[in-house]
Amino acid sequence: MISWLASLFANPWMLAWLPAVAAPIIIHLWNRRRYREYDWAAMEFLLAALKKSSRRMRIEQLLLLLLRTALILLIVLALAEPFFGAIGAALVGGPRTHRVLVIDGSFSMAFRPAEKTLFEIAKQKAIDIVRASNEGDGFSLILMSETARPIISAAAFDREDVVEEITNLTLPHGGARLLPTVRSIEQVVGRVRNENKKLARSRIYFLTDLGRTTWADSSGAGQSSAELADALQRLAGQGEVDVVPLAASVGSPSATGPVNLAITDVRIPTAFATLRQPVDIEVGVAQWGGTSGTDAVVELLVDGARVDQQVARVEPGESAVTVPFTYQLTVPGEHQIEVRTSGDRLEVDNRRFLALPVKDQVRVLCVSGKKDSTTFVVLSLDPDHGRTSDSIVRADVVAESGLLDGDLSQYDCIFLCNVAQFTAREAAVLKRHLERGGGLVFFLGDQVRADRYNRQLGTAEEATGRILPGTIKQTVEADEDNFFGFDPLDYRHPLVKVWENNERAGLLQPNVLKYFRLELAGDAGDSAADERRADEAEVAVALAYENGDPAIVESRVGDGRVLIMTTAGSKSSVTRRAQGLRPWNYLSTNPSFPVLVQKLWRRAVSGRLNERNVAVFEPISGSLSDAGSEQPLSVLRPAFGGRSSQADRTVRITPDVGSAKWSFDETDQSGIYRVDHGDGAGQQLFAANVNTEESDLARIAVEDLPAGLTAQPSASEDSDVEAVVEAPPTPIRQSILWTAFALLFVEITFAWWLGNRQI
Amino acid sequence: MEANRKYLDPQMLAKLEGLELRAKRVIEGYVAGLHRSPYHGFSVEFAEHREYAPGDDLRYLDWKVYGRTDKYYLKQYEEETNLITYLLLDTSESMRYASNAASLSKLEYAKCVAASLAYLVLRQQDSVGMVTFDDQIRHLVRQSSNPSHIKQLLHVLEDATANRKTDTGRIFHDLAERLKKRGIVLIFSDLFDDVESMMTGLKHFRHRRHEVILFHLLDPAELDFPFRQTTKFIGLEELPDVVTDPRSLRKAYLEEVGQFVRAVQRGCRSNNIEYVQIRTDQSLEIALSAFLSKRMLHTA
C-alpha cells in the first residue's frame, strides 16, 4: 500500500493530514453547539424569515463547507505532491513498461569532468529515470562490469527500493564487457516477460561514457563484433534501447580522449624480496590522450609511508615508461608497496599496489636420493654455505627418508634430487606445499623409479599428487661417444632467457648421456580432460634436447610452480657404458649450472608473489594453515566509495568444509586486501590492480552505435531526463496549489459576502 | 411616591413645561376647558350665525340681526368642554423585552410615556383614564381630572407586569364598547399581534369617534437585528425557540419587520389613526416633546 502510494505521490506520508478535511465540518457542528441565548419578542418575524430562508441557508452553508473541505484536501494533496501521469495511469491503467537500467561500471566512469564523476552522474540520471517513470512500471538494474552483474534481475516495482539500490552502487575498478551484459539483459527481459505479462513494453537504458574499450566491438568487425551485433539486434527487437552518453565534455569522439596518466605496472624483477638485498621495483607509467608529454611525478610508498619520488617524462602513446626504484626493506613480514602519480581527472589508475611478503632469507630444502646428489645443487644455491650475511638462500639438505620429518611450510622451495620414489603421504605433503605457493624442482637420476613417480605424482586419475606435468617414460641414452645437447627453443622461456646471446656460457654444450623421456599431458593423443588439465597447469617446456624431448618443463600446481629436469643434477647418477660407469651428464660441472640452479629456484618461488598480486575481479585465495578448519577468515577490503570504516569493509568468509583452501572473489576494487586468518597466523596482504585497458578514455562516436540503439542527448550533471522517459508524470503540485489559492479566494469572498450582504 | 419617582422624572417634566396634549378633533365633555365641544348653545362665547331653517329652535334666533336686515339668523355659541384621555397600555410578555442597546424594556418605556402624558393631561385639567391589558383587561381606571388621580394611575402602572400573551383585536373591541365618552385613546404597544384583527379593533374606536393615537414601541434590536454569532432566540408569548445564524437571516427578518410596520402604518393612515413609532433607545423627553410639539403645531 505504502509503495503504491509512493508511486503516486512524492511525499505520501503527507496524506496523513487527510483527516484534516473533516475539520470544517467539525468546526461547523461545534459552532452550532456554541451559541448565546436571548429572549426574543419579535419571534413571529424571525420564524417567518427562517421559513423563507432555511433552504437558501442550508445551500449556502453546504457550499461553504464544501469549499473549505476542498481547500484543505487540495492543500494536503499539494503537500503530498502527486504525479499526474502516475495518478492517471493508476486510474485508467496506462501502458506499463519494464525499464532496464544498465549502468556502465568500467572504471573510466570514475572520470571527473567537473564536480561529480561520470558514475555519480549516471546514478543520478538513473534515479531521475526511476522517479520520472509511470506508475506500474517495473525496474531492473544491471551493472555493466567484467561480470555483467544484475543487481535487480526481476522487475522491482517499489521505486524507493530501486533508488536505494542505485544509490548503494559502487564503481568497480574493472572494465566492462558489453557482450555478457547484453546477454544478461536478454535473460532479464525474457524472464520478466514470462513472469509479468502486464509489463508489455521493455525499454533499456545504457548510461555509459561510450568508452572505446567497452564499445569498440559494437561497431567493429570480427567474430566478437558480429556476435555482439547479433545480440544487440536481438535486444533491439525486444524493446527500445536508449544509449544515454554521459558528459560531452569528455572530448570529441574523434579525438584520443583527455589526458590520462596511469601506473601500468609495478613489479619486482627478482620475483622475491629478502632483507639481504635491496628490492628492485620497476614501475610502468603511461599516458593516454593529449598531444604532448607530461612530467609525471611518481611516488613510492612502502607500508603507507612515502619513501621515494621520481619525475618521469611520459609521452602519449601506449608504451609505458619504466621508472626504477630500489628500496631496502628492514623488517620481515608482509609489506605493501604503493606507487602513485597524479595530475589528471581519473584517479583510479593513478595508483598501483604490490603485496610483498619478505623473509630474511629464502629457505630451500634439498632432498637427496643418493649420496652426493645434492652437492652441486647446494653449492649453486648457497656457495658460502651461509658463512656470509649476503647469502639470500639458505639451503638445508635431508635424505630421502627425511622429507616428512621437518615442517615444509618454512621452505619456499624444495629440490628433489634423484629421489627414488614417493609415498602417498609424501605426495600429499608436496602437493600442499605447492598449493601454498611453494616451489618444487625435480632432478631425476639413476635412482628414480618412473612407475612410482607416475603413480604418486603423475597425471593419472588415481595419482595422489598430480604434480608432474606429464608421464615419465623410459630412459633415453645416447649412443656411444655421443652426447645429447640442448635446444633453447629460441630462448622464449624466461628461465633460459639469460643465455640468449650468451651461447659461450656453455649451457648448450652437448654433455647429457642419459635422461628420462617425459611425455607431457596433452601430447600423444591424450584425452580432452588431460589437455584441459595441461592448459590449466600452464605446462611449458623451457629447455629441450636436440631430439625434441623436453629437458626442463615448468607447470603450475595450485599457487606453486613445479620445474622438472629430466636428467640428473649431479654426477652421482651413473650409467654403465662400454668404457665403464659414466655419469648421466656433466652438467653439474658446466659453468652454467649454478646459474641454472639459481634460475630454477627463483622461477619456482615466483608463484608466491604472483598469487599475492591479482587483477581486479580475479579471486584471491590461499591455503588454510590448518586444513579442513572451519575457522572463518576476515578480509579487510580497501577503502572505496565512501566506505571508510573498517567494519563496513570487513567481509568474513568461511572455508568449505574439509577444504584446504580459502578463496575470496569480491575483489572489485583496486588496493590492498588484508586477510586475517584469525588463528594467530597473522595477516596476509593481497593486492588487486586495475587493468589499464580502461585507462584509454577515447570514446566511440554516437553515430557509430549499432542500428537499433537510439542515442539520447548527452547527459551531464545539470541536464534533465525528460527526453529519456516518455510521458513524464508531471508533478502537479503547482497546479493544485494554484487551485487551492483560487478556492481560498472564493471561500473568503463567499464567506465575507454571506456575512456582510445583509448588514 | 416610589412609582412617582420611577415614572415621572421632574427634570423631564420640566422640559415638557408649556407643552399640552391637544385634541385634534372635537371632544365630548362636561367641564369647560381647552377643547371644543360639539354642543352649541350652552356656552357664553358666540361662535357664528347661520340662516334659519324651518324646525330650528326659535330661542336662538338673533332678533337684532332680524331687526337690521329682516333676515332670520340663528345665533350659534361654541361650548368649551374638558378632554378625556384614555391610556391603553399593552402588558403582554413581548413588552418586557429589552436589548442591550436599550436601557428600558418596551413596557417600562411605555409606562414612562403614559405617566408623563397622564401628568400633562391632569395638569391641563383634563381627565384621564387608564387601561392595562394583555389577552384580557387587567386594570381599568375611570377617567378623572382630579390632580390626585395621578397617584392611582401610577399605582396601576407600578402593578402592571408583562407575563401573558396578547389579543389586541378582541381587547380593542371590548374597550371601544366600554369607553362611552369620546376622547383621545392613546395606545402603547409593540403591536406584536395579528395586524388585521388589531386594525379591526382600532377601527372600532374610530367608529366610536375616538381620536386614536398609536404609540408603536419597538426595541432597537427588533428594528436592526444586530446579532452576529449563532444565537438561541427564546420565544416569548408561547412561541418556540430558534437556534440560527442571525447574519444569514437578518435580511429576511428585516423584510418581515418592515412589512409588518408598513402594514400597521397603512392601516393607521386609512383609519385616521395617528401612528407614532418610538424606539426604546430614544430619549424619552425628546420622543415626548417631539410628539407634543408636532401635535400642538397641527392643532394651533
Side-chain angles (χ1 to χ4, degrees), chain A residues 130-169:
Chain A
V130 172
R131 292 207 191 282
S133 297
N134 292 330
E135 161 63 9
D137 286 358
F139 300 94
S140 294
L141 179 63
I142 293 174
L143 185 66
M144 180 165 68
S145 64
E146 297 275 2
T147 52
R149 285 191 290 168
I151 310 295
I152 305 174
S153 55
F157 295 94
D158 188 329
R159 287 161 195 249
E160 291 313 309
D161 281 356
V162 179
V163 168
E164 193 180 341
E165 289 289 352
I166 295 171
T167 308
N168 290 338
L169 279 182

Side-chain angles (χ1 to χ4, degrees), chain A residues 188-502:
Chain A
V188 168
V189 169
R191 185 163 60 213
V192 168
R193 285 235 171 120
N194 287 335
E195 290 173 358
N196 200 324
K197 303 289 182 197
K198 288 184 177 175
L199 293 174
R201 293 176 59 201
S202 297
R203 193 157 181 188
I204 297 133
Y205 303 89
F206 279 96
L207 296 138
T208 173
D209 60 356
L210 282 181
R212 190 163 58 194
T213 319
T214 306
W215 289 86
D217 277 351
S218 69
S219 57
Q223 190 181 351
S224 63
S225 296
E227 205 175 342
L228 180 61
D230 286 348
L232 283 170
Q233 209 163 8
R234 281 199 306 276
L235 198 63
Q238 291 187 326
E240 296 165 69
V241 184
D242 290 307
V243 177
V244 185
L246 296 165
S249 56
V250 170
S252 69
S254 56
T256 53
V259 172
N260 181 38
L261 282 172
I263 306 291
T264 57
D265 192 20
V266 178
R267 64 191 184 89
I268 308 283
T270 54
F272 67 93
T274 65
L275 302 179
R276 303 295 173 118
Q277 287 180 342
V279 185
D280 292 327
I281 303 166
E282 289 181 2
V283 176
V285 187
Q287 176 184 327
W288 284 265
T291 50
S292 59
T294 308
D295 289 325
V297 178
V298 184
E299 296 174 327
L300 175 70
L301 293 88
V302 177
D303 297 328
R306 196 163 68 93
V307 296
D308 200 357
Q309 172 181 305
Q310 291 191 41
V311 178
R313 181 70 185 172
V314 188
E315 297 296 333
E318 291 186 3
S319 61
V321 174
T322 301
V323 183
F325 287 94
T326 302
Y327 185 72
Q328 175 67 59
L329 290 156
T330 55
V331 182
E334 303 280 328
H335 292 276
Q336 69 175 70
I337 309 290
E338 181 184 346
V339 180
R340 280 186 197 162
T341 187
S342 58
D344 58 15
R345 290 177 174 273
L346 181 60
E347 292 172 5
V348 174
D349 59 1
N350 289 350
R351 301 166 75 195
R352 211 165 178 89
F353 304 87
L354 190 73
L356 187 62
V358 178
K359 290 185 170 182
D360 182 29
Q361 284 180 304
V362 176
R363 300 283 303 274
V364 178
L365 180 67
C366 299
V367 182
S368 173
K370 188 179 180 183
K371 190 169 181 290
D372 294 335
S373 296
T374 57
T375 309
F376 289 98
V377 171
V378 171
L379 270 175
S380 302
L381 286 170
D382 180 15
D384 294 336
H385 294 289
R387 285 191 294 272
T388 62
S389 59
D390 289 344
S391 178
I392 57 173
V393 175
R394 180 179 151 193
D396 297 332
V397 181
V398 295
E400 185 178 350
S401 56
L403 185 61
L404 296 176
D405 293 345
D407 176 14
L408 290 192
S409 66
Q410 61 184 308
Y411 293 103
D412 300 294
C413 187
I414 300 172
F415 275 73
L416 299 158
C417 304
N418 202 13
V419 175
Q421 57 186 336
F422 298 93
T423 64
R425 196 164 157 224
E426 285 168 339
V429 166
L430 291 175
K431 175 92 173 187
R432 191 151 171 227
H433 170 74
L434 283 168
E435 282 174 344
R436 284 181 174 173
L440 210 56
V441 181
F442 288 93
F443 279 102
L444 304 184
D446 56 1
Q447 298 294 307
V448 170
R449 297 179 63 180
D451 56 333
R452 299 292 177 90
Y453 267 65
N454 291 333
R455 189 185 306 155
Q456 296 298 343
L457 309 177
T459 56
E461 292 294 332
E462 66 277 10
T464 310
R466 308 185 79 180
I467 289 170
L468 298 175
T471 308
I472 300 173
K473 298 287 185 181
Q474 73 284 6
T475 54
V476 180
E477 198 162 348
D479 299 335
E480 288 293 331
D481 301 329
N482 274 337
F483 292 95
F484 294 113
F486 290 116
D487 178 2
L489 303 174
D490 298 332
Y491 302 101
R492 285 192 299 269
H493 198 276
L495 191 72
V496 294
K497 196 85 176 168
V498 71
W499 282 282
E500 189 175 15
N501 304 321
N502 263 326

Side-chain angles (χ1 to χ4, degrees), chain A residues 516-530:
Chain A
F516 276 103
R517 199 166 74 77
L518 180 65
E519 190 177 276
L520 300 178
D523 288 352
D526 285 344
S527 67
D530 287 339

Side-chain angles (χ1 to χ4, degrees), chain A residues 36 38 40 52 758, chain B residues 228 232 234 247 250 256:
Chain A
R36 295 182 173 188
Y38 289 109
W40 188 244
K52 280 185 183 171
Q758 303 96 339
Chain B
R228 287 184 164 268
K232 182 176 186 180
I234 299 169
R247 285 185 300 180
R250 185 171 183 267
E256 289 292 323

